[in-house]
Amino acid sequence: QKPSEKYQDQTQHPPRHLYDTVVVALDASRYLNNGEPSELAAWLDALEVSRGARFLQIGCGVGYYTVLVAHVASPRGLILALESHPELADLARQNLAAYANIEVRHATGPTPADGPFDAVFVNAGATEILPSWLDRLADGGRLLVPLTTTRSINRVGGDQIGLGHMLRVERRTESYLARFVSPVGIFHCIGARTEHGEQILRAAYQRGGLSVVQRLRRDRHHEQATCWLHGSSFCLPRAEC
């Protein structure tokens, strides 16, 4: 069965159905979807976006959830929405043109001149927590990123889909709190995956014990038994560390 045959054409139905817990195809041939509203709502809620907030979204698709955040942040807020797919970025730019507080870019990551942001949402699966994401966080800022390993979900999407968990990171001056929020299945994040990161993340998930992760370290140190996940530029230590 072709991917497009598993979707239902809803063009003749009221748009209110888009608010149901259903996925909406952005590219049916790849099973690239807009995400389930209930999941996205929970994740955005975990970022605690408030009025006047500065928000960075990496992987905005066509801007459906971007505009929801813009309404929460109010016109006093600022939203930077990045999309790596040029056609989706163009659609998002058209869809969001009426919102003065939203900037859409065809890009995979922020520049050093961007930020600081009160919340950063990575809407694609990574094995790395990139320094540029953490550097863009304001003091007290929150980052939400899916840490995923490559899987095939019902033979859909091949090696572009990953399964894992959403990690929430909160900056406290020069230290970072961290905790896993929920399971996730999502397409890969361009520029935020490495083969080594895939291997060590898979091993960490196989060992289990997600609840032991309570903070993130960026200081250079050798891997220790107290490291739950020791990455190339970050470490998730066990709580007792």
Side-chain angles (χ1 to χ4, degrees), residues 12-25:
Q12 302 303 316
H13 290 75
R16 66 174 180 271
H17 292 302
L18 295 177
Y19 293 96
D20 294 337
T21 303
V22 295
V23 295
V24 178

Side-chain angles (χ1 to χ4, degrees), residues 198-218:
E198 169 91 22
Q199 293 173 351
I200 63 173
L201 181 59
R202 185 181 298 276
Y205 279 146
Q206 288 175 344
R207 289 193 299 270
L210 300 182
S211 62
V212 303
V213 174
Q214 296 183 12
R215 65 189 183 98
L216 178 146
R217 293 178 61 177
R218 299 185 70 184

Side-chain angles (χ1 to χ4, degrees), residues 174-212:
E174 294 304 319
S175 63
Y176 300 85
L177 302 178
R179 61 182 172 87
F180 285 103
V181 174
S182 71
V184 61
I186 198 167
F187 268 68
H188 287 350
C189 183
I190 295 175
R193 303 190 69 85
T194 65
E195 183 177 345
H196 176 66
E198 169 91 22
Q199 293 173 351
I200 63 173
L201 181 59
R202 185 181 298 276
Y205 279 146
Q206 288 175 344
R207 289 193 299 270
L210 300 182
S211 62
V212 303

Side-chain angles (χ1 to χ4, degrees), residues 213-233:
V213 174
Q214 296 183 12
R215 65 189 183 98
L216 178 146
R217 293 178 61 177
R218 299 185 70 184
D219 60 297
R220 290 184 176 276
H221 62 280
H222 294 293
E223 184 172 4
Q224 306 161 2
T226 50
C227 298
W228 185 85
L229 177 66
H230 189 82
S232 58
S233 61

Side-chain angles (χ1 to χ4, degrees), residues 52-131:
R54 294 174 58 90
F55 180 86
L56 170 63
Q57 183 180 12
I58 299 171
C60 69
V62 296
Y64 178 88
Y65 297 103
T66 312
V67 74
L68 296 181
V69 174
H71 279 288
V72 173
S74 79
R76 294 190 295 109
L78 182 146
I79 315 297
L80 175 58
L82 309 182
E83 175 52 52
S84 63
H85 193 291
E87 293 181 1
L88 295 182
D90 285 342
L91 284 172
R93 197 173 290 113
Q94 296 171 35
N95 292 339
L96 304 175
Y99 293 85
N101 62 336
I102 300 178
E103 177 186 354
V104 178
R105 284 187 208 157
H106 172 218
T108 58
T111 70
D114 294 323
F117 294 96
D118 301 298
V120 176
F121 177 45
V122 182
N123 194 26
T127 62
E128 313 298 319
I129 300 176
L130 299 184

